[in-house]
Amino acid sequence: MPELPEVEVVRRGLAEHVVGRGVAEVEILDPRSVRRHGPGPTDFIARLRGRRIVSAERRGKYLWLPLDDDDAILGHLGMSGQLLVSDASIPDPRHLRVRLRLDDGAELRFVDQRIFGGLSVSEGGAELPAEIEHIARDPLDPLFDAAEFARRLRRRETGVKRAILDQTLISGVGNIYADEALWRTPLHYARNTRHLRNREIEGLLGHLRDVMTDALAEGGTSFDALYVNVNGQSGYFDRSLHAYGREGEPCDRCATPIRRDAFMNRSSYWCPRCQPRPRNGRW
């Protein structure tokens, strides 16, 4: 699933290519991609036709495009969603679900192979859609409160990776960048949050920021053709990964083979030497 860097790359592309454009027409090719819009596809079309996009915003892994009537287009890419800005003359991609024809002749296309993502209109959601008010700020947000994050983290009694994947505590972090930040810190993914030291929390937060900033600079992480920016281009941060997806390869720090454990229906990648497994879950 796209994480903060991948979604931010898309947001920046939308800010460059669709902000200021009007929505001339809307075509829904698969109503499942607007299933989160409660009033239905016909209402979705009516609310967007003739509106102008005034900015492109993000909270965690969610995107929204504020409109000139104070509503907003709210989007989540899910596992395979893509928002592509294309010339109308370019043939439709496979798995095209929603098309917004813009007043400059371009099209904003929502493509989604697995249909886990979707679009909706958030009424009065230009500043922050009510649907995502529960999502915490991300570590790159200037208003992110590091001290409050540390306090809330310590009040929990769970593994540190499980905690930082909770989007109500800190947003934008997914499996890839959690593993990378934990490797950089270094901390084992099962370390109990209640027993983390101040310097460990500060280090983890710093490495979360660093790894996401590094990924942004390289256009995000693309393991297949499903994640692309608005121009259809893949990121290349996968070449810079130290832990994620590297089972059996030597650790870049100590040369010990990286291990993979099953974790929350996913995987965790870690170095047995640099990130020792905690004893009794305490340290």
Side-chain angles (χ1 to χ4, degrees):
M1 181 177 291
E3 303 179 29
L4 184 157
E6 292 75 42
V7 179
E8 175 62 13
V9 167
V10 173
R11 187 204 68 78
R12 293 179 181 183
L14 294 173
E16 179 178 356
H17 294 289
V18 307
V19 168
R21 307 294 192 271
V23 180
E25 193 54 72
V26 181
E27 182 181 5
I28 298 174
L29 292 92
D30 192 324
R32 291 175 295 176
S33 288
V34 295
R35 65 192 179 280
R36 294 184 180 91
H37 185 75
T42 301
D43 182 80
F44 179 88
I45 293 171
R47 284 178 177 269
L48 293 186
R49 187 186 291 125
R51 299 269 60 90
R52 188 164 299 278
I53 298 168
V54 299
S55 67
E57 309 295 338
R58 179 186 57 76
R59 171 67 67 91
K61 304 175 188 179
Y62 284 86
L63 292 162
W64 75 97
L65 299 173
L67 304 172
D68 58 359
D69 63 351
D70 203 39
D71 287 349
I73 305 171
L74 177 62
H76 193 280
L77 301 180
M79 293 290 290
S80 59
Q82 302 170 352
L83 282 166
L84 305 176
V85 180
S86 306
D87 188 274
S89 64
I90 296 175
D92 290 348
R94 190 180 180 190
H95 309 303
L96 176 63
R97 308 301 182 187
V98 181
R99 184 199 326 271
L100 274 61
R101 294 188 175 92
L102 306 179
D103 60 5
D104 64 349
E107 296 183 352
L108 178 59
R109 299 171 173 180
F110 182 68
V111 178
D112 193 359
Q113 176 179 326
R114 300 176 184 172
I115 318 184
F116 290 153
L119 303 176
S120 61
V121 177
S122 176
E123 186 172 359
E127 184 172 348
L128 177 65
E131 296 89 338
I132 59 171
E133 286 180 341
H134 65 289
I135 302 294
R137 294 186 183 274
D138 66 68
L140 299 186
D141 190 320
L143 297 180
F144 180 84
D145 189 334
E148 178 61 17
F149 165 74
R151 284 192 292 271
R152 292 183 62 195
L153 185 68
R154 275 215 191 82
R155 284 201 294 265
R156 304 183 177 212
E157 190 156 5
T158 188
V160 62
K161 181 176 178 180
R162 186 181 295 270
I164 62 177
L165 291 178
D166 182 349
Q167 303 298 295
T168 66
L169 175 66
I170 183 171
S171 69
V173 182
N175 211 38
I176 296 174
Y177 300 115
D179 280 356
E180 289 301 298
L182 289 167
W183 181 88
R184 291 186 183 200
T185 304
L187 285 172
H188 189 276
Y189 67 86
R191 278 286 303 276
N192 192 319
T193 54
R194 187 176 291 274
H195 304 298
L196 291 176
R197 304 175 183 91
N198 286 334
R199 61 176 176 80
E200 291 174 323
I201 295 175
E202 292 169 3
L204 175 60
L205 188 54
H207 287 301
L208 281 169
R209 288 176 172 138
D210 289 345
V211 73
M212 289 180 173
T213 300
D214 292 346
L216 266 173
E218 299 185 26
T221 302
S222 300
F223 286 106
D224 52 34
L226 295 182
Y227 164 67
V228 294
N229 65 16
V230 297
N231 297 313
Q233 299 167 328
S234 298
Y236 50 92
F237 189 68
D238 56 298
R239 305 172 191 171
S240 303
L241 297 174
H242 295 288
Y244 186 86
R246 298 191 58 216
E247 181 183 14
E249 297 180 27
C251 171
D252 289 335
R253 195 161 39 217
C254 72
T256 302
I258 295 292
R259 285 191 55 179
R260 180 183 67 85
D261 289 348
F263 177 83
M264 294 175 61
N265 296 317
R266 288 172 276 189
S267 297
S268 277
Y269 296 88
W270 57 289
C271 172
R273 182 173 181 181
C274 298
Q275 302 164 267
R277 189 183 298 276
R279 294 194 294 267
N280 300 322
R282 179 175 176 81
W283 60 276

